[in-house]
Amino acid sequence: MAQGKVTFREDRCKGCGLCITACPKQIIFLDKNKINIQGYNPATVEKMEECIGCGNCALMCPDLIITVERF
Amino acid sequence: MEKMLMKGNEAVGAAAIKAGCKYFFGYPITPQNELPEYMSRELPKNGGTYLQAESEIGAINMVFGAAGAGARVMTSSSSPGIALKQEGISYLCGAELPCVIVNMSRSGPGLGGIQPAQGDYFQATRGGGNGDYYTPVYAPASIQETVDLVQEAFDVADTYRTPVIILGDGMIGQMMESVEFKDIQKRRLPQKDWALKEHVEKGSKKLINSLYIKPEEMEPHLQKIFGKYDVIKKEEVRYEKFNCEGADVVAVAYGTVSRIVRNAIKKLEEDGIKLGLIRPITLWPFPFEAFDEISPETKAFLSVEMSMGQMIDDVKIANAGRLPVEFYGRPGGIVPKPIEVVDKVKEILGGAK
Amino acid sequence: MSIVFERTRGMVDMPLHYCPGCTHGIIHRLVAESLVELGLMDDAVCVSSVGCSVFTYNYFDCDAYQASHGRAAAVATGSKRVLKDRTVFTYQGDGDLAAIGTAETVHAAARGENVTIIYVNNAIYGMTGGQMAPTTLVGQKATTSPNGRSAELQGYPIRVCEMLSTLDGTAFAERVSVHNPANVRKAKKAIKKAFEVQTAKQGFSIVEILSTCSTNWGLNPTDSLKWLEDNMIPYYPLGNFKTPEEN
Ligand SMILES: Cc1ncc(C[n+]2csc(CCOP(=O)(O)OP(=O)(O)O)c2C)c(N)n1
Ligand code: SF4
Ligand code: SF4
Ligand code: SF4
Ligand SMILES: [Mg+2]
């Protein structure tokens, strides 16, 4: 299976969670230990090695802050 | 160019085409139907587009779209239809879009009647829609003057980036007179560099907009627009002053009624009474300066209107409390007869002289 | 390493003002991506309407108008009649298009105006705080239907695509949704097709996109997607209602 990598433009995240529901690997979560400049807990991924680069998270992000790479 | 006999409404259309109008968005209403009909016939022959909208609201918003794209564009209607256009006119003013709007007015309120009336003076001169704005308003008194003013109106619209209103009435629209399409001296018009273009220039995003959500941006926007109004008030005021020197009474009348007053002037002359006439050609800006000099013989101003009295408010402002301001009006679609004006003047002067 | 997804250049790089999870943002992106991929972005003309999406003119990297409430189709008509070779589209909510702007919309379609309508149906007046819209479902609560829309009192929601597809001037009408990635992909296909119809001068095209309004629906963004799927799609079936014949 392909390996992927996602990057979030954290400052613009509104913590809506739509990316979380869309991720088939269930690896995205809202980082409760962080608050971005807008006052939201931003979305993040810890187990990046599990990302398959499917792009679903980016397709659902209403704020266009996710970049997805595949290798 | 030779003279030809034309109906007012058609003459407006011919003048608009001559002035380079390429788009017309119409909707039927009496007594202006000959204008959209003429445009539907003649505009395509002159490389333009006539489109009948679903309503006056549709038409004025099509004007918004075409004006934003830099086109010379016109729409026309009569009183109830002009009422529907007010929202659009307010948006056009907010977005600073040039266009010409013709109102061949009839009586109201409501559906009113279809005969000539002047009950739309407030609507035209006070900005009939929401917000802080005015539109230049031309009130022609003959078909020739209508033709000349239509051409002028397009240039004024482009010069100041504003909608301009031609306020006629059923009489001006329907009657036939001989006209000549003179070559009006062309103004030097500014480039429409704000308008959307057929070919996009890279990196210059254009926006046609009346939304300024921040008060600190809306206020300067309005101040800028009103700065233009100051220039219009200085440069564009038009009026005719006739027979005022030593007049016993000075009538103030525009459009159709001014013709009646002229006839009354002749009749009164036979009785040794001198009636003057101030005829505003621009209703906004109102020709206040025409009232600056009053002959010592003049005893009163008389506002003659085909309404219950609307322009009289401006006459009172212009008079500034110096003389009595009298009123004679026939609303509802009745054109007063010269003798009625004669009698009113005699009444003002305290009976037959 | 290859980039499979990045921000489209069709949108100006600025934060969107929408509520968290509001699917207006997804729809913006689909419109911008479609225009860029079709090579139409620079030539596009956006007519923004009045609703939560009033500021779309800031977001799309192209020329724009801001139209009065409901009149976008008429403004687009005037614009397209002058700018015949540009891609003119409106972006309108359900209150804007299906209530106050019904006449302008129906007649633009009937005339076969060669413009594209992006119609965002969230079954509510979002911007003004959640009042009942012409598209609010029977039984759905809104601030002006506090006990739920009653068919007896307030009638029935309007199915815009079905209605417009009866008109000869309508060349393309499709209803899509953005409640999950598969549907987002389909939505983009429909939007692209609508712009292609305009480019081919085939007439009026409309894409109705079912969208969420978690703020006024009183749900969180994820539950809103589910609510859309469970409640809106049964009443507003997805699919194509009209498309020009291939030749
Ligand atoms: C003439 C006029 N009437 C009413 C309004 C107030 N208004 C602003 S937005 C809106 C409704 C928007 O709802 P919709 O089109 O569904 O867009 P949404 O916000 O849901 O995306 C209304 C009624 C207005 N701006 N102008
Ligand atoms: S690309 Fe796919 S697998 Fe990777 S985080 Fe996004 S949704 Fe999950
Ligand atoms: S969808 Fe976008 S805005 Fe929402 S939580 Fe995920 S990254 Fe943040
Ligand atoms: S009010 Fe509703 S439609 Fe408007 S931005 Fe918020 S979620 Fe979106
Ligand atoms: Mg809505």
Side-chain angles (χ1 to χ4, degrees):
Chain A
M1 189 148 253
Q3 267 263 300
K5 184 179 165 232
V6 290
T7 29
F8 298 89
R9 205 163 157 184
E10 217 167 70
D11 286 351
R12 295 242 181 121
C13 178
K14 291 178 186 158
C16 70
L18 294 195
C19 52
I20 297 175
T21 340
C23 176
K25 306 307 275 185
Q26 292 292 300
I27 53 173
I28 312 175
F29 63 96
L30 299 183
D31 191 347
K32 301 281 180 212
N33 298 319
K34 245 190 205 166
I35 292 179
N36 70 7
I37 44 164
Q38 298 188 79
Y40 297 112
N41 298 131
T44 190
V45 168
E46 249 168 29
K47 299 183 212 149
M48 197 64 84
E49 64 283 359
E50 288 184 29
C51 172
I52 55 170
C54 66
N56 277 1
C57 50
L59 278 186
M60 290 307 290
C61 176
D63 288 278
L64 290 83
I65 64 167
I66 306 177
T67 306
V68 185
E69 292 161 291
R70 213 182 281 168
F71 49 92
Chain B
M1 211 172 182
E2 68 188 277
K3 290 206 169 202
M4 51 180 150
L5 200 61
M6 273 189 111
K7 201 174 203 180
N9 282 328
E10 298 200 336
V12 170
I17 291 173
K18 183 146 193 294
C21 172
K22 286 278 183 276
Y23 293 86
F24 188 101
F25 300 100
Y27 190 83
I29 185 170
T30 307
Q32 57 87 56
N33 290 321
E34 297 82 1
L35 173 50
E37 283 164 5
Y38 180 90
M39 291 308 244
S40 72
R41 208 164 60 230
E42 298 299 327
L43 208 43
K45 292 184 208 161
N46 291 277
T49 301
Y50 166 85
L51 195 61
Q52 183 161 314
E54 59 276 8
S55 69
E56 290 85 351
I57 300 174
I60 196 74
N61 282 285
M62 291 173 190
V63 167
F64 188 94
R72 274 212 157 172
V73 52
M74 177 182 254
T75 184
S76 70
S77 189
S78 179
S79 307
I82 297 291
L84 275 183
K85 288 186 195 291
Q86 293 305 326
E87 175 200 50
I89 296 173
S90 170
Y91 273 72
L92 286 157
C93 287
E96 300 181 83
L97 293 181
C99 63
V100 177
I101 300 153
V102 179
N103 180 3
M104 291 301 179
S105 71
R106 52 192 252 183
S107 65
L111 201 47
I114 59 170
Q115 298 304 320
Q118 294 183 327
D120 293 354
Y121 183 91
F122 285 153
Q123 184 203 54
T125 60
R126 266 60 181 168
N130 64 299
D132 264 333
Y133 74 89
Y134 294 94
T135 47
V137 183
Y138 289 98
S142 68
I143 310 298
Q144 183 62 56
E145 191 175 42
T146 308
V147 161
D148 298 343
L149 288 177
V150 165
Q151 303 196 20
E152 181 76 351
F154 276 105
D155 282 359
V156 167
D158 282 347
T159 303
Y160 301 99
R161 284 185 64 182
T162 178
V164 174
I165 292 174
I166 304 275
L167 182 59
D169 56 43
M171 186 84 99
I172 299 287
Q174 297 295 323
M175 72 185 179
M176 291 184 85
E177 278 181 345
S178 84
V179 288
E180 186 185 359
F181 290 86
K182 294 172 256 183
D183 281 317
I184 298 262
Q185 215 199 334
K186 279 253 178 315
R187 293 180 186 230
R188 281 184 52 171
L189 299 175
Q191 290 281 318
K192 293 187 175 181
D193 47 13
W194 47 267
L196 275 63
K197 299 276 173 349
E198 187 68 67
H199 301 287
V200 189
E201 302 132 45
K202 262 216 161 289
S204 68
K205 188 175 147 125
K206 304 267 170 59
L207 176 63
I208 306 299
N209 181 32
S210 68
L211 174 62
Y212 294 78
I213 199 83
K214 296 184 184 137
E216 62 273 23
E217 287 172 12
M218 186 60 190
E219 186 184 49
H221 174 59
L222 284 169
Q223 285 162 342
K224 177 189 157 214
I225 291 176
F226 273 68
K228 292 192 303 190
Y229 293 162
D230 286 340
V231 181
I232 294 173
K233 284 182 194 167
K234 239 173 78 196
E235 304 291 335
E236 307 297 344
V237 172
R238 289 177 66 162
Y239 60 92
E240 189 193 351
K241 221 171 155 176
F242 174 70
N243 214 35
C244 288
E245 181 103 18
D248 299 300
V249 172
V250 171
V252 189
Y254 69 93
T256 294
V257 197
S258 68
R259 299 164 72 113
I260 312 298
V261 172
R262 272 177 205 282
N263 288 333
I265 289 172
K266 279 188 216 129
K267 286 198 196 313
L268 282 162
E269 243 166 38
E270 294 162 17
D271 297 329
I273 296 173
K274 189 166 186 188
L275 177 65
L277 171 65
I278 292 174
R279 180 172 74 89
I281 298 170
T282 50
L283 303 184
W284 192 89
F286 191 76
F288 292 109
E289 68 211 49
F291 296 74
D292 284 351
E293 279 171 35
I294 308 175
S295 289
E297 294 86 353
T298 305
K299 292 167 194 68
F301 285 112
L302 171 62
S303 190
V304 188
E305 306 177 47
M306 294 194 299
S307 74
M308 291 301 288
Q310 298 193 7
M311 183 179 64
I312 187 171
D313 286 11
D314 282 333
V315 176
K316 283 181 180 165
I317 294 169
N319 176 54
R322 289 170 295 179
L323 294 177
V325 176
E326 303 285 342
F327 176 71
Y328 188 75
R330 295 300 304 269
I334 292 170
V335 181
K337 294 191 183 63
I339 188 67
E340 297 171 45
V341 179
V342 167
D343 290 346
K344 180 71 192 178
V345 170
K346 287 182 178 169
E347 181 197 309
I348 292 168
L349 294 173
K353 202 169 155 184
Chain C
M1 187 106 98
S2 66
I3 290 182
V4 274
F5 190 98
E6 64 182 338
R7 191 187 166 90
T8 172
R9 72 158 186 87
M11 284 181 73
V12 175
D13 189 7
M14 65 193 289
L16 302 176
H17 72 283
Y18 299 106
C19 303
C22 175
T23 45
H24 263 304
I26 299 178
I27 299 163
H28 279 34
R29 177 171 64 73
L30 298 181
V31 170
E33 284 177 358
S34 301
L35 288 168
V36 169
E37 286 164 27
L38 293 168
L40 300 171
M41 193 72 226
D42 294 337
D43 266 336
V45 175
C46 169
V47 182
S48 90
S49 62
V50 181
C52 279
S53 59
V54 68
F55 293 120
T56 41
Y57 59 76
N58 284 327
Y59 300 142
F60 292 120
D61 194 13
C62 62
D63 291 350
Y65 292 83
Q66 202 299 304
S68 59
H69 193 24
R71 321 298 177 210
V75 172
T77 296
S79 184
K80 181 74 180 189
R81 293 281 173 154
V82 180
L83 307 171
K84 296 181 179 66
D85 292 324
R86 296 190 62 174
T87 305
V88 179
F89 71 98
T90 71
Y91 188 108
Q92 300 173 259
D94 46 325
D96 190 88
L97 181 141
I100 193 167
T102 319
E104 287 75 8
T105 307
V106 168
H107 286 274
R111 288 190 303 267
E113 286 304 334
N114 200 29
V115 298
T116 300
I117 308 286
I118 303 296
Y119 166 44
V120 181
N121 179 359
N122 58 10
I124 204 131
Y125 283 103
M127 188 194 217
T128 40
Q131 294 83 3
M132 192 191 76
T135 43
T136 296
L137 299 171
V138 171
Q140 185 186 339
K141 283 188 177 157
T143 58
T144 50
S145 58
N147 302 318
R149 180 177 186 152
S150 136
E152 204 186 321
L153 187 66
Q154 291 133 330
Y156 299 89
I158 299 176
R159 294 185 185 92
V160 168
C161 275
E162 285 85 335
M163 180 174 77
L164 293 183
S165 61
T166 66
L167 300 170
D168 290 349
T170 301
F172 181 86
E174 185 158 326
R175 184 180 295 117
V176 295
S177 176
V178 289
H179 67 282
N180 60 31
N183 277 280
V184 168
R185 287 192 182 91
K186 278 192 207 157
K188 183 162 162 188
K189 277 205 186 102
I191 292 169
K192 265 182 137 167
K193 179 68 191 167
F195 285 130
E196 282 169 347
V197 165
Q198 183 179 161
T199 307
K201 301 195 185 332
Q202 287 170 309
F204 183 86
S205 52
I206 179 166
V207 183
E208 172 175 346
I209 302 122
L210 302 185
S211 186
T212 64
C213 177
S214 55
T215 300
N216 290 302
W217 290 358
L219 299 168
N220 70 41
T222 306
D223 290 348
S224 296
L225 298 179
K226 180 94 176 80
W227 191 90
L228 184 162
E229 185 176 14
D230 293 346
N231 296 280
M232 287 182 77
I233 294 178
Y235 190 84
Y236 298 114
L238 305 184
N240 182 274
F241 297 91
K242 205 164 186 188
T243 200
E245 277 164 37
E246 306 281 336
N247 47 349

